[in-house]
Amino acid sequence: MIDEKTNKLTELELEKLNIVDKDGTVRMTLFNQDHIPPALMDGEDILPGHRDGNPFAGIMFFNNEGDECGGMIFGNERDEEGNYRASASMTFDQYKQDQVVQMVYIDDNGERHYGFNIFDRPDVSLKQQLDETKEIEESHLDDAAKAEAIDQVWKGSTQRAFMGKNKKGEVAVKLMDSKGKDRIRMVVDENDIPRMEFLDGEGNVLYKLPPDDLKK
């Protein structure tokens, strides 16, 4: 809507809006669920069809080269019985890679999980990892060999930290090692009881506070 006296735009209704550089490179896109941008890297969609049918609106960020480098999405679904799933996420991506910082909210029909995540990503590009994975999947290797080869491709893509609230109702801080295994957990559980645990690489608790033998 344009004010005829001041020529000021006071309202704009649209389904998608691109913010571009002078050369036309898209730097930011605002979109509804029918116009989710593709996962662009090096000028192509590296995840064709991956976002089809997702119920998300939001904002997508792109770097100077036109690569996706983060964004914010939000939306929900509800079935005929009234069950719902709602979620929201804001992420920032490593250059030519996936997210390294994420704020997330997931509500699966009342089971809620929300907080802040940190990830490690390897120095190779996400596009290269996806291409190598596809090549392995289409190879003549047996299933076990494929799984092992794919694990090697994605080595270095691991979650390293979480701070938030989980589905159990616990408020927690978790620190993981380079393989994504929990090594330190600090928790206040659903009954307001605090604990702190130190774990080895196999998930065994080496030491905890308070100790099990502490008398109440």
Side-chain angles (χ1 to χ4, degrees), residues 137-165:
E137 290 174 340
E138 294 175 350
S139 71
H140 298 294
L141 296 172
D142 60 42
D143 290 344
K146 285 182 180 180
E148 184 177 351
I150 289 173
D151 283 345
Q152 288 300 311
V153 170
W154 293 93
K155 185 178 181 180
S157 289
T158 54
Q159 184 175 358
R160 298 302 305 271
F162 168 78
M163 180 181 67
K165 191 172 184 179

Side-chain angles (χ1 to χ4, degrees), residues 29-49:
T29 297
L30 286 73
F31 57 91
N32 69 9
Q33 66 270 18
D34 296 319
H35 297 276
I36 301 175
L40 292 177
M41 186 173 292
D42 298 330
E44 66 176 277
D45 183 358
I46 61 173
L47 291 169

Side-chain angles (χ1 to χ4, degrees), residues 2 13 30 37-38 43 46 69 74 86 89 113 142 147 152 159 184 186 198 202 214:
I2 299 178
E13 184 174 307
L30 286 73
I46 61 173
C69 60
F74 44 88
S89 174
H113 170 94
D142 60 42
Q152 288 300 311
Q159 184 175 358
I184 298 176
M186 294 181 286
F198 297 83
E202 303 301 321
L214 181 67

Side-chain angles (χ1 to χ4, degrees), residues 24-200:
T25 301
V26 177
R27 299 301 305 278
M28 184 170 66
T29 297
L30 286 73
F31 57 91
N32 69 9
Q33 66 270 18
D34 296 319
H35 297 276
I36 301 175
L40 292 177
M41 186 173 292
D42 298 330
E44 66 176 277
D45 183 358
I46 61 173
L47 291 169
H50 179 70
R51 293 171 174 171
D52 293 350
N54 285 339
F56 299 121
I59 305 171
M60 205 68 73
F61 310 137
F62 301 89
N63 64 19
N64 298 47
E65 300 169 31
D67 298 335
E68 182 181 313
C69 60
M72 178 175 63
I73 57 173
F74 44 88
N76 72 284
E77 296 176 290
R78 184 184 290 273
D79 64 23
E80 294 179 354
E81 286 75 36
N83 300 306
Y84 71 89
R85 179 179 173 84
S87 60
S89 174
M90 185 171 185
T91 60
F92 299 96
D93 299 347
Q94 180 176 305
Y95 178 69
K96 298 289 185 182
Q97 253 295 337
D98 208 345
Q99 64 199 33
V100 289
V101 177
Q102 179 189 35
M103 290 184 288
V104 64
Y105 156 75
I106 298 173
D107 187 344
D108 194 356
N109 207 38
E111 288 191 346
R112 300 179 183 91
H113 170 94
Y114 45 87
F116 182 84
N117 295 308
I118 295 175
F119 302 86
D120 272 351
R121 302 298 177 190
D123 291 332
V124 300
S125 73
L126 179 58
K127 181 179 183 299
Q128 179 179 330
Q129 288 180 293
L130 292 169
D131 289 344
E132 290 180 3
T133 299
K134 182 178 179 181
E135 183 178 340
I136 293 168
E137 290 174 340
E138 294 175 350
S139 71
H140 298 294
L141 296 172
D142 60 42
D143 290 344
K146 285 182 180 180
E148 184 177 351
I150 289 173
D151 283 345
Q152 288 300 311
V153 170
W154 293 93
K155 185 178 181 180
S157 289
T158 54
Q159 184 175 358
R160 298 302 305 271
F162 168 78
M163 180 181 67
K165 191 172 184 179
N166 61 29
K167 292 180 180 180
K168 296 179 181 179
E170 300 173 329
V171 177
V173 175
K174 297 196 300 180
L175 305 179
M176 297 83 157
D177 61 21
S178 61
K179 298 180 180 63
K181 303 290 186 180
D182 289 1
R183 301 305 293 269
I184 298 176
R185 290 196 295 244
M186 294 181 286
V187 176
V188 176
D189 69 17
E190 66 274 22
N191 297 312
D192 292 334
I193 298 174
R195 71 178 186 274
M196 185 174 184
E197 300 173 334
F198 297 83
L199 302 91
D200 63 17

